[in-house]
Amino acid sequence: MHARIAERIVRSAELAPGAVVCEVGPGTGILTRELLKRAKKVIAIEADKELCEKLRADFAEEIASGRLNLVCGDIRAFDISALPRGYALIANIPYYLTGGLFRLFLEADNQPSALTLLVQKEVADRIVARGGKESILSLSVKAYGAPKREFLVPRGAFAPAPSVDSAVLAVRGISRANFRSRGAEERFFALLRAGFAHKRKFALKNLKEAGFATEGVPEKARAEDLPLSVWLGLAHRLM
């Protein structure tokens, strides 16, 4: 990643003064350096052992001062509850981990206040529903916060260059305000899964077959046509 891209990612994160950042996948530390310029503290989690050793050497001063806490391990085995409340999440990770990372942090008891991820362009477009079509992923993210595609990152910004373009996606205002309880949260996702179970069928039919109430669902609408407000309305009637 070019340093100017890293700088722009950090600007997009809109870090508050005194922010604590959890960085997943620091790699060679290009983004880490920019984060240390703006954050009070960075907690960087790197799964690759060789990269981790290089980071230890390159950032020895920052680690010694306590401004950088380097954790060598897989984020999926990391205890998110150990992070300070109100932390911001920033990540540049392999694309195959993107969906899992959203679930891991948005569904965690200790959610980030906001997250900024470098993702595949198509994934960013899908989450913000640029084509006007929702998905389980887009609705799952929107249920917790407001996603925004910040800017595109062409494949040429990386060496070696990937086969696809990327985009920086930010999700702000993360909370569980849409759910009265963990049970309500679980019912919402059960409803989503039922509504999207058969893409060729209308949402009304999918939901009826799964035994859910369908008040307010247009007869000829597919699941992808229904906004978050409709899904939340259906879910609230189950609570």
Side-chain angles (χ1 to χ4, degrees):
M1 179 196 298
H2 293 162
R4 65 177 181 273
I5 299 295
E7 181 182 4
R8 195 174 176 191
I9 290 173
V10 176
R11 286 203 311 268
S12 295
E14 298 180 354
L15 296 175
V20 175
V21 174
C22 175
E23 182 190 7
V24 179
T28 58
I30 294 175
L31 183 58
T32 310
R33 289 197 184 280
E34 293 299 326
L35 287 170
L36 286 166
K37 293 177 184 178
R38 296 173 181 257
K40 178 182 179 181
K41 182 174 182 177
V42 177
I43 301 165
I45 304 163
E46 177 56 60
D48 187 291
K49 291 182 180 179
E50 290 186 6
L51 286 173
C52 209
E53 288 306 311
K54 187 176 187 306
L55 289 165
R56 282 192 195 282
D58 292 347
F59 292 91
E61 183 178 337
E62 291 82 0
I63 292 172
S65 70
R67 293 198 59 232
L68 175 62
N69 179 9
L70 179 62
V71 179
C72 297
D74 193 317
I75 184 58
R76 292 167 291 189
F78 182 75
D79 182 9
I80 295 175
S81 66
L83 294 169
R85 294 284 175 178
Y87 68 95
L89 173 68
I90 297 181
N92 171 21
I93 59 169
Y95 290 147
Y96 71 87
L97 288 177
T98 302
L101 200 70
F102 276 116
R103 290 192 297 274
L104 184 66
F105 280 90
L106 291 178
E107 296 178 17
D109 289 331
N110 186 19
Q111 295 174 307
S113 58
L115 62 82
T116 307
L117 301 182
L118 183 68
V119 300
Q120 190 173 336
K121 174 185 174 294
E122 287 74 12
V123 172
D125 289 345
R126 188 172 159 209
I127 289 173
V128 300
R130 285 177 69 88
K133 299 294 183 181
E134 299 287 0
S135 64
I136 289 182
L137 178 59
S138 67
L139 292 165
S140 297
V141 172
K142 290 175 180 178
Y144 293 111
K148 178 185 177 184
R149 197 185 81 172
E150 294 291 338
F151 63 93
L152 295 178
V153 181
R155 62 196 76 185
F158 302 93
S163 59
V164 295
D165 292 326
S166 304
V168 170
L169 181 82
V171 182
R172 300 186 178 90
I174 295 173
S175 75
R176 283 192 163 79
N178 283 321
F179 307 112
R180 300 170 188 169
S181 66
R182 278 296 192 141
E185 189 176 350
E186 291 170 2
R187 287 190 289 275
F188 170 79
F189 285 105
L191 185 75
L192 273 189
R193 288 191 294 271
F196 280 87
H198 305 287
K199 291 185 178 180
R200 293 177 179 273
K201 294 183 179 180
F202 294 121
L204 194 69
K205 186 171 181 60
N206 282 337
L207 293 170
K208 282 184 177 179
E209 288 179 355
F212 288 106
T214 57
E215 183 182 347
V217 179
E219 185 177 353
K220 299 297 183 181
R222 301 194 187 278
E224 63 185 12
D225 299 321
L226 303 179
L228 177 65
S229 58
V230 171
W231 293 104
L232 287 174
L234 288 169
H236 286 161
R237 285 191 276 276
L238 299 174
M239 299 174 190

PDB file of all heavy atoms in Angstrom, residues 45 71-80 104:
ATOM      1  N   ILE A  45      -2.906  -6.142  15.698  1.00  0.00           N
ATOM      2  CA  ILE A  45      -2.985  -7.600  15.790  1.00  0.00           C
ATOM      3  C   ILE A  45      -2.572  -8.198  14.456  1.00  0.00           C
ATOM      4  O   ILE A  45      -3.251  -7.996  13.442  1.00  0.00           O
ATOM      5  CB  ILE A  45      -4.410  -8.038  16.171  1.00  0.00           C
ATOM      6  CG1 ILE A  45      -4.831  -7.350  17.477  1.00  0.00           C
ATOM      7  CG2 ILE A  45      -4.491  -9.561  16.313  1.00  0.00           C
ATOM      8  CD1 ILE A  45      -6.308  -7.380  17.743  1.00  0.00           C
ATOM      9  N   VAL A  71       0.189  -7.343  19.114  1.00  0.00           N
ATOM     10  CA  VAL A  71      -0.288  -8.680  19.474  1.00  0.00           C
ATOM     11  C   VAL A  71      -0.046  -9.610  18.294  1.00  0.00           C
ATOM     12  O   VAL A  71      -0.548  -9.367  17.195  1.00  0.00           O
ATOM     13  CB  VAL A  71      -1.795  -8.661  19.826  1.00  0.00           C
ATOM     14  CG1 VAL A  71      -2.278 -10.065  20.175  1.00  0.00           C
ATOM     15  CG2 VAL A  71      -2.052  -7.695  20.975  1.00  0.00           C
ATOM     16  N   CYS A  72       0.718 -10.665  18.504  1.00  0.00           N
ATOM     17  CA  CYS A  72       0.994 -11.628  17.443  1.00  0.00           C
ATOM     18  C   CYS A  72       0.008 -12.791  17.567  1.00  0.00           C
ATOM     19  O   CYS A  72       0.113 -13.609  18.475  1.00  0.00           O
ATOM     20  CB  CYS A  72       2.435 -12.141  17.546  1.00  0.00           C
ATOM     21  SG  CYS A  72       3.654 -10.830  17.313  1.00  0.00           S
ATOM     22  N   GLY A  73      -0.955 -12.837  16.682  1.00  0.00           N
ATOM     23  CA  GLY A  73      -1.965 -13.886  16.740  1.00  0.00           C
ATOM     24  C   GLY A  73      -3.106 -13.615  15.785  1.00  0.00           C
ATOM     25  O   GLY A  73      -3.187 -12.549  15.163  1.00  0.00           O
ATOM     26  N   ASP A  74      -4.001 -14.587  15.681  1.00  0.00           N
ATOM     27  CA  ASP A  74      -5.162 -14.504  14.799  1.00  0.00           C
ATOM     28  C   ASP A  74      -6.259 -13.695  15.469  1.00  0.00           C
ATOM     29  O   ASP A  74      -6.606 -13.954  16.631  1.00  0.00           O
ATOM     30  CB  ASP A  74      -5.657 -15.926  14.491  1.00  0.00           C
ATOM     31  CG  ASP A  74      -6.662 -15.965  13.350  1.00  0.00           C
ATOM     32  OD1 ASP A  74      -7.559 -15.103  13.312  1.00  0.00           O
ATOM     33  OD2 ASP A  74      -6.563 -16.881  12.518  1.00  0.00           O
ATOM     34  N   ILE A  75      -6.813 -12.724  14.759  1.00  0.00           N
ATOM     35  CA  ILE A  75      -7.870 -11.886  15.321  1.00  0.00           C
ATOM     36  C   ILE A  75      -9.067 -12.719  15.764  1.00  0.00           C
ATOM     37  O   ILE A  75      -9.767 -12.368  16.719  1.00  0.00           O
ATOM     38  CB  ILE A  75      -8.316 -10.805  14.296  1.00  0.00           C
ATOM     39  CG1 ILE A  75      -9.354  -9.863  14.905  1.00  0.00           C
ATOM     40  CG2 ILE A  75      -8.844 -11.440  13.018  1.00  0.00           C
ATOM     41  CD1 ILE A  75      -8.898  -9.137  16.139  1.00  0.00           C
ATOM     42  N   ARG A  76      -9.273 -13.861  15.119  1.00  0.00           N
ATOM     43  CA  ARG A  76     -10.419 -14.696  15.467  1.00  0.00           C
ATOM     44  C   ARG A  76     -10.259 -15.367  16.823  1.00  0.00           C
ATOM     45  O   ARG A  76     -11.229 -15.879  17.385  1.00  0.00           O
ATOM     46  CB  ARG A  76     -10.658 -15.737  14.374  1.00  0.00           C
ATOM     47  CG  ARG A  76     -11.136 -15.132  13.056  1.00  0.00           C
ATOM     48  CD  ARG A  76     -11.085 -16.098  11.902  1.00  0.00           C
ATOM     49  NE  ARG A  76      -9.716 -16.421  11.529  1.00  0.00           N
ATOM     50  CZ  ARG A  76      -9.379 -17.107  10.446  1.00  0.00           C
ATOM     51  NH1 ARG A  76     -10.320 -17.524   9.617  1.00  0.00           N
ATOM     52  NH2 ARG A  76      -8.110 -17.358  10.174  1.00  0.00           N
ATOM     53  N   ALA A  77      -9.036 -15.368  17.356  1.00  0.00           N
ATOM     54  CA  ALA A  77      -8.782 -15.937  18.677  1.00  0.00           C
ATOM     55  C   ALA A  77      -8.544 -14.839  19.720  1.00  0.00           C
ATOM     56  O   ALA A  77      -8.270 -15.135  20.883  1.00  0.00           O
ATOM     57  CB  ALA A  77      -7.572 -16.871  18.622  1.00  0.00           C
ATOM     58  N   PHE A  78      -8.665 -13.602  19.304  1.00  0.00           N
ATOM     59  CA  PHE A  78      -8.390 -12.467  20.191  1.00  0.00           C
ATOM     60  C   PHE A  78      -9.609 -12.165  21.065  1.00  0.00           C
ATOM     61  O   PHE A  78     -10.754 -12.269  20.628  1.00  0.00           O
ATOM     62  CB  PHE A  78      -8.025 -11.241  19.355  1.00  0.00           C
ATOM     63  CG  PHE A  78      -7.677 -10.027  20.164  1.00  0.00           C
ATOM     64  CD1 PHE A  78      -6.465  -9.936  20.806  1.00  0.00           C
ATOM     65  CD2 PHE A  78      -8.580  -8.977  20.270  1.00  0.00           C
ATOM     66  CE1 PHE A  78      -6.139  -8.812  21.554  1.00  0.00           C
ATOM     67  CE2 PHE A  78      -8.270  -7.850  21.005  1.00  0.00           C
ATOM     68  CZ  PHE A  78      -7.042  -7.763  21.654  1.00  0.00           C
ATOM     69  N   ASP A  79      -9.361 -11.767  22.309  1.00  0.00           N
ATOM     70  CA  ASP A  79     -10.432 -11.427  23.242  1.00  0.00           C
ATOM     71  C   ASP A  79     -10.823  -9.959  23.050  1.00  0.00           C
ATOM     72  O   ASP A  79     -10.169  -9.059  23.574  1.00  0.00           O
ATOM     73  CB  ASP A  79      -9.960 -11.676  24.678  1.00  0.00           C
ATOM     74  CG  ASP A  79     -11.059 -11.389  25.709  1.00  0.00           C
ATOM     75  OD1 ASP A  79     -12.225 -11.170  25.289  1.00  0.00           O
ATOM     76  OD2 ASP A  79     -10.738 -11.367  26.908  1.00  0.00           O
ATOM     77  N   ILE A  80     -11.893  -9.724  22.304  1.00  0.00           N
ATOM     78  CA  ILE A  80     -12.320  -8.354  21.995  1.00  0.00           C
ATOM     79  C   ILE A  80     -12.748  -7.604  23.251  1.00  0.00           C
ATOM     80  O   ILE A  80     -12.623  -6.382  23.331  1.00  0.00           O
ATOM     81  CB  ILE A  80     -13.464  -8.381  20.959  1.00  0.00           C
ATOM     82  CG1 ILE A  80     -12.936  -8.957  19.635  1.00  0.00           C
ATOM     83  CG2 ILE A  80     -14.031  -6.985  20.712  1.00  0.00           C
ATOM     84  CD1 ILE A  80     -14.004  -9.147  18.584  1.00  0.00           C
ATOM     85  N   LEU A 104     -17.699 -10.533  13.633  1.00  0.00           N
ATOM     86  CA  LEU A 104     -16.922 -10.625  14.871  1.00  0.00           C
ATOM     87  C   LEU A 104     -17.031  -9.360  15.706  1.00  0.00           C
ATOM     88  O   LEU A 104     -17.255  -9.415  16.923  1.00  0.00           O
ATOM     89  CB  LEU A 104     -15.458 -10.918  14.530  1.00  0.00           C
ATOM     90  CG  LEU A 104     -14.497 -11.138  15.695  1.00  0.00           C
ATOM     91  CD1 LEU A 104     -14.867 -12.415  16.449  1.00  0.00           C
ATOM     92  CD2 LEU A 104     -13.069 -11.225  15.190  1.00  0.00           C
TER      93      LEU A 104
END
